[in-house]
Amino acid sequence: MRDTESSVSPVVEAWATYRTTSATEWTARRLMRAKGDSRVSVVLPAHNEETTVGAIVSTIREHLMDRVALVDEVIVVDSRSTDRTAQVARAAGAEVVGQDEMTRGLPRLTGKGDALWAGLAAAEGDVVAFIDADLREFRPHFVTGLLGPLLTDPSVEFVKGFYHRPLVGATSVEADGGGRVTELMARPLLNLFWPELAGFVQPLAGEYAGRRDVLERVPFVSGYGVETAMLIDLLGLVGLDALAQVDLGERKHRHQDTAALGRMSAQIMLTAWSRLQQRGWASPDTAPVALLTQFRRGGSDALPNLEREIVVSDVSVEERPPLAELRHRLPRRRVAA
């Protein structure tokens, strides 16, 4: 009979033991003492997040800028919002920059990754933390947890957050039901081709921080593949030991529907394919089809034998080159949205 028992890789086990910490280990005042002359920026990419962005900015300003001067600037990147995201963020005390203003003169790209790149270009900190703008019940430890390893250990270059993600349904709450794309697609993909990254609890988490000089040396994928590409590229650039993760407790945010998660998964797969090509593991002459066919029940264009509409989405991804290569072409001053 085949032995089906297996164990975690010794490399992954050692890394997870050594490089995993909890946000509860650092207080803002302790980090102030460790900060020294370093400057810290917090960047929030935001597209139509008027209901949550204000509370996040206010919390950061009150606890980490006014009470303790740990954070030097909080920047909200308005990613072509059609609601009052920019006004709410500015009223709460953030510096608001427009995604298109920060990338003026460069090809127009869409998606979260491009907003993150614009935020990095706008930020002035030596350490830059990225926080998603759709978080509910946000607490300052989301920032201090990410900053802890970077401000106290010079060998750490990048920190990824992880947390419990409850999935709130119509009649029940699944305690760890969030992160469906991670469990069904991203984790198996990374384990298969980049097993060194298997120790990351949530490789797609939107909360992470890094040293500016490192972040400026990696490209940013324009769409939802940005977190996947960043981990893979940083692994190659600085090595596994320079990467860390921190437990941030519980994260509450809005959830996307299954069709949207499918489009997200497709972009992550295309991103992984590009990295496989760079390593010579996939044919450089093969271009995957970047059109995703999905089905939607009912609708005016439903086909009679299917009783569904066919919906085709362009899930292609593009990349901003490393910021260090293009900084000379960017606006000298940040322009508010």
Side-chain angles (χ1 to χ4, degrees), residues 53-64 66 74 88-89 91-94:
V53 69
I56 297 172
V57 170
S58 296
T59 299
I60 294 172
R61 285 208 61 93
E62 177 185 354
H63 294 275
L64 304 179
D66 297 337
V74 55
V88 170

Side-chain angles (χ1 to χ4, degrees), residues 310-326:
I310 294 179
V311 181
V312 179
S313 302
D314 182 354
V315 292
S316 58
V317 294
E318 300 178 87
E319 298 187 22
R320 289 284 184 208
L323 180 61
E325 297 177 9
L326 293 179

Side-chain angles (χ1 to χ4, degrees), residues 41 73 119-128 157 210-217 323 327:
S41 302
E73 60 179 359
L120 179 61
E124 297 179 347
D126 305 295
V127 173
V128 181
E157 304 282 1
R211 302 191 190 279
R212 160 179 294 285
D213 59 349
V214 170
L215 294 172
E216 288 192 350
R217 293 160 60 196
L323 180 61
R327 182 166 287 285

Side-chain angles (χ1 to χ4, degrees), residues 42 44 49-68 71 73-76 85-96 131-133 135 137-141 143:
V42 177
L44 287 76
E49 303 293 358
E50 66 177 7
T51 60
T52 51
V53 69
I56 297 172
V57 170
S58 296
T59 299
I60 294 172
R61 285 208 61 93
E62 177 185 354
H63 294 275
L64 304 179
M65 298 180 77
D66 297 337
R67 293 186 185 179
V68 178
V71 173
E73 60 179 359
V74 55
I75 298 171
V76 170
T85 291
Q87 297 93 316
V88 170
R90 191 177 293 112
E95 178 174 0
V96 179
I131 303 289
D132 278 349
L135 302 189
E137 300 180 23
F138 177 82
R139 297 291 182 268
H141 74 267
V143 176

Side-chain angles (χ1 to χ4, degrees), residues 42-58 60 74-79 81 83-86 88-89 94 96 112 115-116 129-138 142 163 205-208 227 251-254:
V42 177
V43 173
L44 287 76
H47 174 70
N48 292 342
E49 303 293 358
E50 66 177 7
T51 60
T52 51
V53 69
I56 297 172
V57 170
S58 296
I60 294 172
V74 55
I75 298 171
V76 170
V77 182
D78 183 15
S79 183
S81 298
D83 65 359
R84 298 182 62 255
T85 291
V88 170
V96 179
K112 178 183 178 182
L116 292 168
F130 297 99
I131 303 289
D132 278 349
D134 67 341
L135 302 189
R136 295 183 287 111
E137 300 180 23
F138 177 82
F142 268 63
Y163 23 65
E207 284 67 49
Y208 41 87
E227 280 87 15
R251 182 188 199 265
K252 295 182 179 180
H253 64 116
R254 73 172 188 274

Side-chain angles (χ1 to χ4, degrees), residues 96-319:
V96 179
V97 300
Q99 177 177 339
D100 292 327
E101 294 293 344
M102 289 310 306
T103 58
R104 189 172 64 241
L106 302 176
R108 191 177 192 269
L109 302 184
T110 60
K112 178 183 178 182
D114 192 49
L116 292 168
W117 193 93
L120 179 61
E124 297 179 347
D126 305 295
V127 173
V128 181
F130 297 99
I131 303 289
D132 278 349
D134 67 341
L135 302 189
R136 295 183 287 111
E137 300 180 23
F138 177 82
R139 297 291 182 268
H141 74 267
F142 268 63
V143 176
T144 54
L146 295 173
L147 297 179
L150 290 162
L151 295 180
T152 61
D153 187 344
S155 69
V156 174
E157 304 282 1
F158 179 82
V159 178
K160 189 84 166 178
F162 70 93
Y163 23 65
H164 296 291
R165 296 179 64 186
L167 179 60
V168 181
T171 59
S172 63
V173 176
E174 188 176 347
D176 285 304
R180 290 162 288 172
V181 174
T182 293
E183 298 305 328
L184 295 175
M185 195 278 300
R187 191 183 311 285
L189 188 67
L190 291 173
N191 275 258
L192 183 62
F193 294 110
W194 294 276
E196 305 98 316
L197 298 175
F200 279 93
V201 178
Q202 282 164 337
L204 303 185
E207 284 67 49
Y208 41 87
R211 302 191 190 279
R212 160 179 294 285
D213 59 349
V214 170
L215 294 172
E216 288 192 350
R217 293 160 60 196
V218 295
F220 279 54
V221 171
S222 61
Y224 284 111
V226 60
E227 280 87 15
T228 301
M230 191 177 295
L231 272 186
I232 294 170
D233 294 344
L234 287 171
L235 176 66
L237 180 65
V238 299
L240 182 63
D241 189 57
L243 311 180
Q245 63 181 349
V246 60
D247 186 350
L248 299 178
E250 184 175 80
R251 182 188 199 265
K252 295 182 179 180
H253 64 116
R254 73 172 188 274
H255 297 282
Q256 301 194 57
D257 61 32
T258 303
L261 297 180
R263 295 187 291 273
M264 184 186 304
S265 298
Q267 288 196 318
I268 293 169
M269 291 178 70
L270 286 171
T271 300
W273 181 272
S274 72
R275 268 50 191 174
L276 292 174
Q277 286 183 316
Q278 290 173 11
R279 299 189 66 168
W281 293 356
S283 172
D285 300 323
T286 302
V289 175
L291 296 177
L292 177 66
T293 299
Q294 295 175 299
F295 298 90
R296 183 166 55 207
R297 292 187 64 178
S300 58
D301 296 325
L303 298 180
N305 293 332
L306 289 175
E307 297 183 354
R308 294 166 174 81
E309 289 182 325
I310 294 179
V311 181
V312 179
S313 302
D314 182 354
V315 292
S316 58
V317 294
E318 300 178 87
E319 298 187 22

